[in-house]
Amino acid sequence: MTRFRLTPLVDSLPDTVPFVGPETQERARGQLFDARLGANENVFGPSPMATRVMAETPQWMYGDPESFELREALADHHGIEMASIVVGEGIDGLLGYLLRLMVGPGDTVVTTEGGYPTFNYHATGYGGVIHTVPYKNDHEDPKALFAKAAEVDAKLVYMANPDNPMGTALDNEALLAAMETLPKDALLVLDEAYLEFAHTDVGLDLPLDDPRVIRLRTFSKAYGLAGARIGYAMGAPELIAAFDKVRNHFGINRAAQAGALAALTDQTWLRSVQARVVTSRNRIGQIARANGLKPLKSQANFVTVDCCGTAEYARAVLNEVVARGVFIRMPFSAPQNRCIRISCGTPAQLEILEDVLSSALRAVGTGLTEAAQ
């Protein structure tokens, strides 16, 4: 029998993936979800201009390996040089390239315990050593992250702002103050996937080509193109140029490039999506409070809801909601795992959520009472 000679590192890794997709769960349960509110997708969809352009894009041609027109438009949109932008297969793909560029066996990185898991997934895959710090009041804690980076001589420090899975965000003042303590040999990997949903004071008011930071953006969230898998990174030209050494030059298909360009052009549609997300966040908060739960203030297209109990209780609520046909998720590390996370949805989807959440909480309460007897 053939023996597949994996690298020692890969052979040592556990059989795990960062996410179990809703499709996997649907196959296991033998039916589709009535409401898909767990993957932070933009249910309001992309600009009709993007949809039309993608449908009309010839599929027999490869995509432009330089994503020239899209990078040109992004450079104009952000007021920076094209040399400071690289396009990739969503933020997850760009994280993979960045970790490949900078992390080898034994290199240290720092992130938040319970934060977005794909960074850890790639760091482990390249042999990196991961150090973590806890959330502070359900927010990322950049000063603690940077202090840990100095302590362990980390090459990379990853944080998301707004954060996933908590939906909280740090303003410019807090981030600028923290940047004064970033070690000189560490690079801040700033995941800004949800920035378009945040207040205007959220973010880091530094030049987009500041060599201390690489910023990750996506067309998956506010622009509604999650299925197209296209995002971009902005940073110092010397770092951005290094991506050409490792990236898949034909990894972005032509339709995705055309759709992203059209979506970027249609800022009127973007503003309409932003308004609907605010309405949806408010409605989720109302539903949560009506059921005795505590919604956290969100700057993203989801709301993290404190179930006001133990992690076991939150997991029981999640399981009951999923069993009733609504796909949601929850944070996976303490103490954030006292919560569930609900993506923004249409009014019809949130009507389903309202009925299901109430029913699920009653079922969990009954089960806990019976167990105590």
Tab-separated table of all heavy atoms in Angstrom, residues 266-292:
chain	number	residue	atom	x	y	z
A	266	ASP	N	-20.443	50.835	-6.780
A	266	ASP	CA	-21.823	51.117	-6.360
A	266	ASP	C	-21.881	51.411	-4.857
A	266	ASP	O	-22.375	50.605	-4.062
A	266	ASP	CB	-22.722	49.939	-6.723
A	266	ASP	CG	-24.197	50.289	-6.621
A	266	ASP	OD1	-24.523	51.397	-6.149
A	266	ASP	OD2	-25.037	49.445	-6.995
A	267	GLN	N	-21.415	52.570	-4.466
A	267	GLN	CA	-21.424	52.939	-3.054
A	267	GLN	C	-22.835	53.257	-2.554
A	267	GLN	O	-23.104	53.190	-1.350
A	267	GLN	CB	-20.509	54.140	-2.828
A	267	GLN	CG	-19.024	53.835	-3.028
A	267	GLN	CD	-18.468	52.890	-1.971
A	267	GLN	OE1	-18.558	53.175	-0.775
A	267	GLN	NE2	-17.896	51.767	-2.401
A	268	THR	N	-23.747	53.576	-3.463
A	268	THR	CA	-25.143	53.786	-3.060
A	268	THR	C	-25.734	52.497	-2.512
A	268	THR	O	-26.428	52.504	-1.482
A	268	THR	CB	-25.976	54.285	-4.252
A	268	THR	OG1	-25.438	55.530	-4.710
A	268	THR	CG2	-27.437	54.475	-3.857
A	269	TRP	N	-25.444	51.383	-3.172
A	269	TRP	CA	-25.930	50.089	-2.672
A	269	TRP	C	-25.296	49.760	-1.331
A	269	TRP	O	-25.956	49.276	-0.418
A	269	TRP	CB	-25.643	48.982	-3.684
A	269	TRP	CG	-26.111	47.637	-3.211
A	269	TRP	CD1	-25.379	46.680	-2.585
A	269	TRP	CD2	-27.445	47.126	-3.287
A	269	TRP	NE1	-26.149	45.590	-2.276
A	269	TRP	CE2	-27.429	45.839	-2.692
A	269	TRP	CE3	-28.631	47.624	-3.810
A	269	TRP	CZ2	-28.573	45.040	-2.615
A	269	TRP	CZ3	-29.776	46.830	-3.734
A	269	TRP	CH2	-29.732	45.569	-3.122
A	270	LEU	N	-24.009	50.037	-1.208
A	270	LEU	CA	-23.326	49.784	0.057
A	270	LEU	C	-24.020	50.529	1.196
A	270	LEU	O	-24.256	49.963	2.268
A	270	LEU	CB	-21.865	50.206	-0.035
A	270	LEU	CG	-21.063	50.133	1.268
A	270	LEU	CD1	-20.935	48.695	1.761
A	270	LEU	CD2	-19.677	50.770	1.096
A	271	ARG	N	-24.345	51.787	0.979
A	271	ARG	CA	-25.012	52.563	2.034
A	271	ARG	C	-26.378	51.975	2.379
A	271	ARG	O	-26.780	51.991	3.549
A	271	ARG	CB	-25.133	54.026	1.604
A	271	ARG	CG	-23.796	54.773	1.617
A	271	ARG	CD	-23.988	56.258	1.416
A	271	ARG	NE	-24.433	56.576	0.066
A	271	ARG	CZ	-23.614	56.786	-0.958
A	271	ARG	NH1	-22.297	56.716	-0.791
A	271	ARG	NH2	-24.092	57.090	-2.154
A	272	SER	N	-27.081	51.448	1.400
A	272	SER	CA	-28.380	50.837	1.694
A	272	SER	C	-28.212	49.576	2.536
A	272	SER	O	-29.020	49.305	3.437
A	272	SER	CB	-29.123	50.518	0.389
A	272	SER	OG	-28.587	49.371	-0.267
A	273	VAL	N	-27.175	48.814	2.265
A	273	VAL	CA	-26.894	47.618	3.065
A	273	VAL	C	-26.523	48.017	4.497
A	273	VAL	O	-26.995	47.403	5.463
A	273	VAL	CB	-25.758	46.796	2.416
A	273	VAL	CG1	-25.243	45.724	3.381
A	273	VAL	CG2	-26.240	46.155	1.124
A	274	GLN	N	-25.701	49.010	4.624
A	274	GLN	CA	-25.315	49.462	5.964
A	274	GLN	C	-26.540	49.860	6.785
A	274	GLN	O	-26.633	49.530	7.977
A	274	GLN	CB	-24.347	50.651	5.834
A	274	GLN	CG	-22.975	50.264	5.284
A	274	GLN	CD	-22.150	51.464	4.874
A	274	GLN	OE1	-22.680	52.477	4.404
A	274	GLN	NE2	-20.828	51.361	5.052
A	275	ALA	N	-27.489	50.545	6.168
A	275	ALA	CA	-28.698	50.955	6.882
A	275	ALA	C	-29.531	49.747	7.290
A	275	ALA	O	-30.071	49.692	8.408
A	275	ALA	CB	-29.526	51.894	6.001
A	276	ARG	N	-29.645	48.762	6.407
A	276	ARG	CA	-30.430	47.565	6.741
A	276	ARG	C	-29.761	46.743	7.839
A	276	ARG	O	-30.434	46.129	8.658
A	276	ARG	CB	-30.654	46.726	5.486
A	276	ARG	CG	-31.778	47.275	4.607
A	276	ARG	CD	-32.046	46.404	3.397
A	276	ARG	NE	-31.129	46.709	2.312
A	276	ARG	CZ	-31.205	46.180	1.100
A	276	ARG	NH1	-32.144	45.271	0.835
A	276	ARG	NH2	-30.347	46.520	0.150
A	277	VAL	N	-28.440	46.745	7.861
A	277	VAL	CA	-27.726	46.032	8.928
A	277	VAL	C	-28.002	46.688	10.275
A	277	VAL	O	-28.219	45.994	11.277
A	277	VAL	CB	-26.217	45.979	8.623
A	277	VAL	CG1	-25.414	45.586	9.863
A	277	VAL	CG2	-25.946	44.991	7.497
A	278	VAL	N	-27.994	48.007	10.329
A	278	VAL	CA	-28.304	48.692	11.583
A	278	VAL	C	-29.704	48.328	12.062
A	278	VAL	O	-29.923	48.021	13.242
A	278	VAL	CB	-28.166	50.218	11.415
A	278	VAL	CG1	-28.726	50.948	12.638
A	278	VAL	CG2	-26.711	50.603	11.192
A	279	THR	N	-30.668	48.332	11.148
A	279	THR	CA	-32.036	47.954	11.502
A	279	THR	C	-32.097	46.520	12.017
A	279	THR	O	-32.771	46.227	13.016
A	279	THR	CB	-32.964	48.112	10.281
A	279	THR	OG1	-32.966	49.479	9.868
A	279	THR	CG2	-34.386	47.681	10.612
A	280	SER	N	-31.373	45.632	11.350
A	280	SER	CA	-31.366	44.227	11.757
A	280	SER	C	-30.700	44.039	13.107
A	280	SER	O	-31.187	43.270	13.950
A	280	SER	CB	-30.659	43.388	10.685
A	280	SER	OG	-30.691	42.017	11.006
A	281	ARG	N	-29.585	44.739	13.350
A	281	ARG	CA	-28.925	44.645	14.655
A	281	ARG	C	-29.872	45.086	15.766
A	281	ARG	O	-29.946	44.454	16.829
A	281	ARG	CB	-27.665	45.520	14.682
A	281	ARG	CG	-26.495	44.976	13.920
A	281	ARG	CD	-25.193	45.688	14.244
A	281	ARG	NE	-25.229	47.129	14.247
A	281	ARG	CZ	-24.308	47.909	13.657
A	281	ARG	NH1	-23.300	47.360	12.981
A	281	ARG	NH2	-24.393	49.222	13.736
A	282	ASN	N	-30.580	46.175	15.518
A	282	ASN	CA	-31.521	46.666	16.528
A	282	ASN	C	-32.627	45.653	16.797
A	282	ASN	O	-33.027	45.449	17.950
A	282	ASN	CB	-32.126	47.997	16.076
A	282	ASN	CG	-31.117	49.132	16.080
A	282	ASN	OD1	-30.098	49.062	16.768
A	282	ASN	ND2	-31.383	50.173	15.323
A	283	ARG	N	-33.097	45.015	15.741
A	283	ARG	CA	-34.178	44.035	15.904
A	283	ARG	C	-33.693	42.801	16.668
A	283	ARG	O	-34.408	42.281	17.542
A	283	ARG	CB	-34.721	43.625	14.530
A	283	ARG	CG	-35.869	42.630	14.590
A	283	ARG	CD	-37.079	43.239	15.253
A	283	ARG	NE	-38.160	42.264	15.390
A	283	ARG	CZ	-38.785	41.985	16.518
A	283	ARG	NH1	-38.447	42.618	17.652
A	283	ARG	NH2	-39.740	41.090	16.556
A	284	ILE	N	-32.500	42.336	16.368
A	284	ILE	CA	-31.942	41.204	17.121
A	284	ILE	C	-31.817	41.569	18.590
A	284	ILE	O	-32.120	40.767	19.483
A	284	ILE	CB	-30.580	40.774	16.530
A	284	ILE	CG1	-30.757	40.206	15.120
A	284	ILE	CG2	-29.905	39.734	17.429
A	284	ILE	CD1	-29.455	39.978	14.382
A	285	GLY	N	-31.365	42.788	18.864
A	285	GLY	CA	-31.267	43.235	20.249
A	285	GLY	C	-32.611	43.241	20.945
A	285	GLY	O	-32.718	42.822	22.113
A	286	GLN	N	-33.654	43.684	20.248
A	286	GLN	CA	-35.000	43.685	20.829
A	286	GLN	C	-35.456	42.267	21.150
A	286	GLN	O	-36.019	42.000	22.224
A	286	GLN	CB	-35.976	44.345	19.864
A	286	GLN	CG	-35.774	45.834	19.678
A	286	GLN	CD	-36.615	46.394	18.530
A	286	GLN	OE1	-37.258	45.647	17.785
A	286	GLN	NE2	-36.593	47.717	18.385
A	287	ILE	N	-35.218	41.349	20.225
A	287	ILE	CA	-35.623	39.956	20.435
A	287	ILE	C	-34.876	39.362	21.633
A	287	ILE	O	-35.461	38.670	22.468
A	287	ILE	CB	-35.351	39.130	19.152
A	287	ILE	CG1	-36.286	39.586	18.028
A	287	ILE	CG2	-35.520	37.634	19.415
A	287	ILE	CD1	-35.932	39.016	16.667
A	288	ALA	N	-33.575	39.636	21.704
A	288	ALA	CA	-32.781	39.107	22.815
A	288	ALA	C	-33.285	39.635	24.151
A	288	ALA	O	-33.515	38.866	25.100
A	288	ALA	CB	-31.303	39.465	22.616
A	289	ARG	N	-33.482	40.936	24.247
A	289	ARG	CA	-33.930	41.526	25.508
A	289	ARG	C	-35.317	41.044	25.903
A	289	ARG	O	-35.588	40.826	27.104
A	289	ARG	CB	-33.894	43.057	25.403
A	289	ARG	CG	-32.483	43.641	25.482
A	289	ARG	CD	-32.516	45.153	25.561
A	289	ARG	NE	-32.963	45.729	24.292
A	289	ARG	CZ	-32.146	46.085	23.307
A	289	ARG	NH1	-30.843	45.918	23.429
A	289	ARG	NH2	-32.634	46.612	22.204
A	290	ALA	N	-36.186	40.850	24.926
A	290	ALA	CA	-37.537	40.354	25.225
A	290	ALA	C	-37.514	38.952	25.816
A	290	ALA	O	-38.460	38.543	26.498
A	290	ALA	CB	-38.385	40.370	23.953
A	291	ASN	N	-36.417	38.232	25.576
A	291	ASN	CA	-36.275	36.871	26.094
A	291	ASN	C	-35.341	36.806	27.299
A	291	ASN	O	-34.884	35.722	27.675
A	291	ASN	CB	-35.769	35.945	24.988
A	291	ASN	CG	-36.853	35.575	23.995
A	291	ASN	OD1	-37.654	34.689	24.244
A	291	ASN	ND2	-36.877	36.276	22.858
A	292	GLY	N	-35.039	37.951	27.892
A	292	GLY	CA	-34.218	37.972	29.092
A	292	GLY	C	-32.733	37.836	28.845
A	292	GLY	O	-31.968	37.569	29.784
